[in-house]
Amino acid sequence: MYDIIIIGGGPAGLTAAIYARRAGKSALVLEKASFGGQITYSPKIENFPSWGSISGTELADKMMEQALAQGADIELEEALSVEKEEDIFKVTTDFSEYEAKAIIIATGAKHRLLGVEGEENLVGKGISFCAVCDGAFYAGKEVMVIGGGNSALVEATLLAETCKKVTVVQNLPYLTGEKTTADALTSRDNVEVIYSTVVKEFKGADELEAVVLKSEDGTEQTLNPDGVFIAIGLAPENDAFKNLAELNEYGYIKSDENCLTFTEGVFVAGDCRTKSVRQIATATADGAVAALKAIEFIDSNK
């Protein structure tokens, strides 16, 4: 029996664990893949307070070390389901079962991948997902943005401010994002849009060397951008918790800044909840809020 079980070992979940332990509550963090979540794909982070520059993996390790030092338990297991029985939550994983007085869901959201050759190997080695996070590394250089929706247009617009050239690759014959944003982007001299084209392959061993594109008519071309930003959306993984929290049309858990769900004792933090900004700083903020609310809930039900 734990006071709080935290599902997800990214910045939100690990921050929640730190806050829970500092309040004297027992805490278990369950993570199905790798601790740190999406930040482990970032080779360099320069926008997180206290660190001028640090790799995502190193930052994740430091967060996990701090949670462990505070006395949190951490297990590499996937939470398959959570059921509420009276005042106790039962969490079933792929290895075991646990009980808790409160639950914090912090499963994050995964960047959608194209699923083409060379992609996974080059994430963090020339392939990025976040212009706010990594755009500064490509100032004065040439980059490529994959996608034509609102997220891609925003990424491309931000990159166009500092990059020498931005090439947008869209699989449709038109951009699907808002017209005003699209018009403003395409009017820039340093922006080119390639329509009806998909990525066939990313080339490179230890770093991105080239991108092979294939158009609708089968024609192929190879370009050599300094970096690529894939912007085809995020995919939250919240289906296992829809009995405890309301999901919006995109699968995110509906919640406000108090990180509450419709189930008493269940809280949500980080990229898996409805929010407009998804950054490490906002995830850690959510983790703190969710933990404090969970602590308040437990103390009020003694």
Side-chain angles (χ1 to χ4, degrees):
M1 167 68 72
Y2 287 90
D3 289 316
I4 304 172
I5 289 180
I6 301 155
I7 303 172
L14 293 172
T15 301
I18 292 167
Y19 271 73
R21 287 300 302 138
R22 285 180 61 82
K25 306 301 182 187
S26 58
L28 168 67
V29 180
L30 298 172
E31 168 57 47
K32 74 172 186 176
S34 59
F35 291 97
Q38 294 300 309
I39 67 171
T40 59
Y41 291 119
S42 297
K44 189 181 294 184
I45 294 169
E46 295 183 337
N47 60 351
F48 189 70
S50 79
W51 296 101
S53 180
I54 188 171
S55 73
T57 300
E58 186 180 3
L59 181 58
D61 287 345
K62 289 183 179 299
M63 288 182 175
M64 185 171 70
E65 288 169 5
Q66 188 173 356
L68 287 169
Q70 292 290 334
D73 288 343
I74 294 180
E75 297 291 346
L76 198 61
E77 300 179 25
E78 179 179 2
L80 302 176
S81 66
V82 181
E83 300 293 336
K84 186 175 185 180
E85 297 181 8
E86 296 183 353
D87 295 329
I88 299 300
F89 293 95
K90 292 193 174 183
V91 180
T92 301
T93 74
D94 48 355
F95 286 105
S96 189
E97 290 185 349
Y98 303 94
E99 294 184 344
K101 300 173 185 176
I103 299 291
I104 296 175
I105 302 169
T107 49
K110 296 176 65 176
H111 291 283
R112 297 184 188 276
L113 296 176
L114 298 170
V116 301
E117 186 177 348
E119 180 179 29
E120 289 193 18
N121 180 57
L122 291 170
V123 171
K125 303 173 184 176
I127 295 179
S128 302
F129 302 97
C130 176
V132 172
C133 312
D134 300 331
F137 304 130
Y138 297 97
K141 299 181 179 181
E142 297 187 6
V143 299
M144 180 181 290
V145 175
I146 312 299
N150 282 325
S151 60
L153 299 184
V154 171
E155 296 282 286
T157 299
L158 181 60
L159 290 165
E161 294 289 341
T162 57
C163 293
K164 179 180 179 182
K165 182 179 180 181
V166 178
T167 301
V168 179
V169 177
Q170 165 68 326
N171 63 339
L172 299 172
Y174 53 87
L175 297 172
T176 57
E178 293 181 0
K179 187 177 185 304
T180 54
T181 306
D183 289 345
L185 176 66
T186 54
S187 67
R188 291 175 175 265
D189 293 335
N190 64 336
V191 174
E192 177 187 1
V193 182
I194 302 177
Y195 295 100
S196 302
T197 299
V198 298
V199 175
K200 179 182 178 182
E201 179 187 356
F202 292 105
K203 290 187 174 183
D206 297 322
E207 63 179 348
L208 178 70
E209 296 175 0
V211 182
V212 180
L213 303 177
K214 184 176 182 180
S215 64
E216 197 172 48
D217 63 8
T219 304
E220 294 185 8
Q221 62 175 312
T222 300
L223 299 181
N224 305 93
D226 295 297
V228 172
F229 290 80
I230 298 175
I232 57 174
L234 293 167
E237 299 177 295
N238 293 323
D239 283 350
F241 317 112
K242 58 187 178 183
N243 60 315
L244 300 170
E246 183 180 1
L247 310 186
N248 72 2
E249 59 185 309
Y250 303 107
Y252 293 96
I253 294 175
K254 289 187 176 182
S255 177
D256 61 11
E257 295 303 307
N258 289 316
C259 298
L260 307 176
T261 70
F262 67 62
T263 302
E264 284 194 344
V266 177
F267 307 88
V268 59
D271 289 0
C272 63
R273 78 172 184 87
T274 51
K275 58 194 304 185
S276 60
V277 178
R278 293 184 169 87
Q279 292 285 294
I280 303 172
T282 63
T284 56
D286 279 359
V289 171
L292 291 171
K293 290 295 180 181
I295 293 162
E296 181 181 301
F297 169 76
I298 292 170
D299 289 345
S300 66
N301 284 278
K302 284 183 178 179

